[in-house]
Amino acid sequence: QVQLVESGGGSVQAGGSLRLSCAASGYTFSSYYMAWFRQASDKEREAVAVIYPGGHTAYSDPVKGRFTISRHNAENTLYLQMNSLKPEDTAMYYCAAAPQLVISVGSVRYWGQGTQVTVSS
């Protein structure tokens, strides 16, 4: 049974930091592309960061330079370090796994349940 369990969300003031974690099980974590998506109220779900099986990373423009995605294959865990948070970063954040490069919601095979991040001004 595949599980992706996010943790680490919460409420912070603008300029603060949070670290999200995603514990994966039930599939070969090291072989999958992993990503973080987010969905704000009344908006579509969007990819913010992806990490390849080999460790290459890519970010969406709004978070580039502020967020860092990483993975610990031995512990089957995905991370998202979020610094210099802004109110517009407020959203539900989802962990996602795909057997091929993740570029859209349709590419994802497995989803976590999400963790809420709220940034106040």
Side-chain angles (χ1 to χ4, degrees), residues 10-93:
S11 298
V12 295
Q13 290 191 326
S17 298
L18 284 174
R19 189 192 195 204
L20 306 184
S21 299
C22 172
S25 60
Y27 70 103
T28 308
F29 177 81
S30 60
S31 299
Y32 273 63
Y33 294 80
M34 297 298 299
W36 289 97
F37 283 72
R38 69 184 181 186
Q39 187 167 17
S41 298
D42 300 324
K43 292 189 176 180
E44 294 186 352
R45 193 171 297 189
E46 61 177 2
V48 296
V50 60
I51 185 165
Y52 292 21
H56 178 75
T57 59
Y59 301 89
S60 65
D61 286 343
V63 309
K64 199 171 295 182
R66 300 187 297 120
F67 290 12
T68 303
I69 188 172
S70 60
R71 65 193 299 163
H72 195 308
N73 287 339
E75 296 184 352
N76 289 351
T77 305
L78 178 73
Y79 300 100
L80 185 68
Q81 178 67 43
M82 305 185 294
N83 299 329
S84 303
L85 282 161
K86 305 175 181 180
E88 51 264 43
D89 294 319
T90 295
M92 185 72 78
Y93 283 71

Side-chain angles (χ1 to χ4, degrees), residues 32-33 98-103 106-109:
Y32 273 63
Y33 294 80
Q100 67 285 327
L101 178 61
V102 178
I103 57 173
S107 303
V108 174
R109 179 170 291 180

